[in-house]
Amino acid sequence: MTTAPADYFSPKAAGYAAFRPTYPPALFDFVAALAPRRACAWDCATGSGQAAVALAGHFARVVATDASPAQLAHAAPHPRVTYRAAPAEASGLPNASADLVVVAQALHWFDRDAFYAEARRVLVPGGAVVVWSYGDAVLGAAGPADAALDAAFQHYAGEVLAPYWPPERRLVGEAYREIPFPFTEVAAPAFPMTRACTLAELVGYVGTWSATTQYVRATGRDPITGLERALAPHWRDPERRVVVRWPLTVRAGHVAQDPPSPLSA
């Protein structure tokens, strides 16, 4: 990540580890099947290790990097995961050492040309690159009560916080359609991404948003209390768990099977 995203998320590192959603296991089955081997995966911009730990179920070794030491301090330990502070554009991995590179919910923050060059450098011939991002959450199931709950939530995310989303976040809303992806692309299936949250867990998640951080810095006020007041009448029992759904976008591809010759490098 660049300095700015680390600045958004480092102060909320504990909340990020506690409240950010995890990813569906089927996603990692798909990702691992793309790799030519299962020796080493690089999880770039790992945050608190949500993807890294899941990858460790498929790979002998996972190197998980992030530009934020605060995020890494809250990362989940795993015997096959090595955490390292490093930017996306300079991983410190040896040439042709990784079978897979993944980026979960972070590509929009990168200097993408520099990251793509780094991914090509560290991947073995035929290695895979997979990036994914989840968009705006939707609350609840069908029905008038949950519709009112979701409407209150969408007002907060789309109107109260609208001026405070960093410009890079637009790429998430576009489902990464406008991001160049210079690899031999592979079609990815749809993966449902859901989590059942209490009211406290939901507002904890919202507290980790970049826009929430920006709002507090700009106004000196925490908008979370207003969100809780808006949601509470529709939530009814604060211990009730409401299903939260996120649209998950996955882009996957391979680098060339043959490494570049010295004359073309």
Side-chain angles (χ1 to χ4, degrees), residues 30-31 34-36 42 44 98-103 107 110 115-116 118-124 126-132 181-186 250-256:
F30 167 76
V31 164
L34 296 176
W42 172 27
C44 180
D99 307 297
L100 172 74
V101 174
V102 304
V103 182
L107 185 67
F110 292 178
F115 165 69
Y116 291 150
E118 179 71 350
R120 291 189 193 95
R121 183 186 69 78
V122 305
L123 280 168
V124 300
V129 181
V130 186
V131 303
W132 62 85
F181 192 67
F183 305 99
T184 303
E185 196 152 2
V186 176
V250 180
R251 297 190 69 180
H254 290 97
V255 295

Side-chain angles (χ1 to χ4, degrees), residues 42-223:
W42 172 27
D43 178 24
C44 180
T46 191
S48 39
Q50 288 92 337
V53 171
L55 287 168
H58 297 271
F59 288 83
R61 178 177 178 239
V62 178
V63 178
T65 63
D66 200 280
S68 169
Q71 288 266 61
L72 294 173
H74 291 86
H78 191 284
R80 289 196 292 279
V81 179
T82 301
Y83 292 103
R84 178 186 304 165
E89 303 81 11
S91 66
L93 274 72
N95 293 349
S97 60
D99 307 297
L100 172 74
V101 174
V102 304
V103 182
Q105 195 67 0
L107 185 67
H108 48 288
W109 301 117
F110 292 178
D111 175 340
R112 284 179 289 279
D113 289 342
F115 165 69
Y116 291 150
E118 179 71 350
R120 291 189 193 95
R121 183 186 69 78
V122 305
L123 280 168
V124 300
V129 181
V130 186
V131 303
W132 62 85
S133 175
Y134 52 89
D136 295 336
V138 177
L139 303 190
D146 282 346
L149 182 66
D150 186 58
F153 180 76
Q154 300 306 332
H155 171 78
Y156 173 86
E159 297 184 39
V160 174
L161 290 185
Y164 303 99
W165 286 108
E168 296 91 340
R169 181 58 170 62
R170 171 184 59 83
L171 298 170
V172 174
E174 296 171 349
Y176 279 6
R177 287 188 302 269
E178 303 304 317
I179 291 183
F181 192 67
F183 305 99
T184 303
E185 196 152 2
V186 176
F191 297 101
M193 182 171 169
T194 64
R195 180 177 180 179
C197 295
T198 65
L199 179 56
E201 288 168 343
L202 180 71
V203 298
Y205 161 63
V206 173
T208 70
W209 289 358
S210 55
T212 303
T213 300
Q214 292 283 79
Y215 183 103
V216 172
R217 289 174 178 170
T219 69
R221 302 189 306 273
D222 187 347

